[in-house]
């Protein structure tokens, strides 16, 4: 089942902050965050793992609440280059209890940063 | 330079025709994926392959077929059975199928059915 992202769209001025949320109805093993510019391929930002290990991007941070099955992406002091659509992808443990398998992506959050 | 290439960038097809989208990677990745993206929508998984000569259906496999005869290649065929094939198709790869590994995406193929 597809994770739900909120808000659907955000409009900011340069230097403002934003938070994008991703909620799942399933227990999560990992959450991936990607940014996509219009007509281009998604670009990796960050992975958050069950148990707290995080790999990520230097100017963007994220949290992962395993109990609530939620992740949030924090964009601070936004820049014009942050504009794009942000997707979370979630990964649940499969029936065998291993972590192989597929990512399920949310519908995306459109972020627009104005000068 | 290592990366993923998809061809063609734009593809037009008449109704009733099959068409094959190319995806090649030189990253030495074991796992490869095909996603479909419709306007204003997220990415939906069509097929994925974790190793050569093996692949699994994703969430929307009907009307599509794939093969994985070589590690670096994962072509997608959109068949005439796919009722609404006009979309942006993205290919991705990762080192293997583990969930903690990032996926690298190709530039995409925009398919339009006339």
């Amino acid at each position: 089942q597809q994770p739900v992202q909120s808000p659907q769209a955000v409009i900011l001025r340069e230097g403002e902050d934003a938070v994008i949320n991703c909620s799942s109805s399933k227990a999560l093993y990992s959450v991936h965050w990607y940014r996509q510019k219009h007509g281009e391929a998604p670009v990796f930002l960050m992975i958050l793992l069950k148990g707290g290990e995080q790999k990520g991007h230097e100017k963007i941070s994220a949290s992962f609440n395993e109990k609530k099955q939620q992740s949030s992406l924090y964009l601070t002091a936004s820049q014009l280059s942050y504009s794009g659509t942000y997707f979370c992808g979630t990964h649940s443990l499969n029936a065998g209890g291993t972590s192989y398998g597929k990512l399920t992506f949310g519908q995306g959050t459109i972020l627009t940063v104005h000068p | 330079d290592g990366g993923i290439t998809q061809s063609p960038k734009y593809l037009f097809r008449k109704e009733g025709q099959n068409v094959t989208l190319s995806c090649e990677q030189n990253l030495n990745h074991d796992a490869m994926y095909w996603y479909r993206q419709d306007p204003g929508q997220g990415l939906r998984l069509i097929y994925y392959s974790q190793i050569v000569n093996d692949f699994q259906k994703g969430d929307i496999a009907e009307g599509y077929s794939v093969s994985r005869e070589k590690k670096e290649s994962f072509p997608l065929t959109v068949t005439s059975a796919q009722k609404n094939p006009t979309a942006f198709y993205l290919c991705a790869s990762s080192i293997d199928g583990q969930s903690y590994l990032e996926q690298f995406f190709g530039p995409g193929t925009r398919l339009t059915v006339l």
Side-chain angles (χ1 to χ4, degrees):
Chain A
Q1 203 165 8
Q2 188 179 30
V4 176
Q5 289 184 232
S6 63
Q8 290 188 352
V10 183
I11 299 175
L12 301 173
R13 293 210 174 272
E14 266 188 297
E16 292 181 338
D17 302 339
V19 180
I20 300 171
N21 301 302
C22 175
S23 297
S24 174
S25 59
K26 291 185 173 183
L28 300 177
Y29 183 81
S30 69
V31 179
H32 296 217
W33 285 97
Y34 290 82
R35 177 173 61 213
Q36 184 180 31
K37 303 277 186 181
H38 183 68
E40 298 179 5
V43 173
F44 167 77
L45 294 176
M46 187 169 301
I47 291 176
L48 298 107
L49 302 176
K50 182 178 168 70
E53 185 180 350
Q54 176 178 319
K55 297 163 66 176
H57 192 277
E58 57 181 15
K59 293 187 179 181
I60 298 173
S61 62
S63 63
F64 180 16
N65 187 322
E66 296 164 33
K67 282 188 179 178
K68 291 186 178 180
Q69 295 166 186
Q70 291 177 347
S71 176
S72 294
L73 186 71
Y74 304 95
L75 302 147
T76 56
S78 59
Q79 305 169 14
L80 295 175
S81 61
Y82 285 10
S83 292
T85 302
Y86 289 77
F87 293 100
C88 68
T90 57
H91 192 285
S92 303
L93 289 174
N94 61 26
T98 62
S99 63
Y100 279 91
K102 57 183 186 179
L103 278 180
T104 303
F105 284 90
Q107 81 282 13
T109 296
I110 301 171
L111 180 76
T112 306
V113 181
H114 290 298
Chain B
D1 286 336
I4 301 177
T5 56
Q6 291 185 244
S7 61
K9 188 170 182 177
Y10 298 97
L11 187 57
F12 298 90
R13 180 195 103 175
K14 291 183 180 178
E15 270 193 59
Q17 289 180 337
N18 290 358
V19 63
T20 298
L21 280 58
S22 168
C23 177
E24 304 276 332
Q25 54 98 359
N26 61 3
L27 299 167
N28 201 33
H29 286 175
D30 282 325
M32 297 186 75
Y33 313 83
W34 273 106
Y35 294 93
R36 169 182 172 139
Q37 188 174 32
D38 294 285
Q41 301 291 316
L43 287 73
R44 292 185 291 167
L45 183 66
I46 305 172
Y47 269 98
Y48 64 106
S49 168
Q50 293 175 349
I51 198 165
V52 174
N53 293 322
D54 187 48
F55 48 83
Q56 289 80 40
K57 291 183 180 180
D59 299 316
I60 55 165
E62 186 175 348
Y64 299 98
S65 66
V66 293
S67 62
R68 187 85 189 277
E69 296 176 2
K70 297 187 295 183
K71 187 175 184 176
E72 58 270 22
S73 178
F74 191 40
L76 173 74
T77 297
V78 184
T79 74
S80 56
Q82 170 48 236
K83 294 189 187 330
N84 185 18
T86 295
F88 188 46
Y89 290 87
L90 287 158
C91 179
S93 71
S94 60
I95 294 172
D96 63 34
Q98 294 282 1
S99 70
Y100 53 80
L101 298 170
E102 69 179 275
Q103 293 187 11
F104 295 81
F105 285 84
T109 292
R110 192 167 297 279
L111 173 65
T112 303
V113 175
L114 304 171

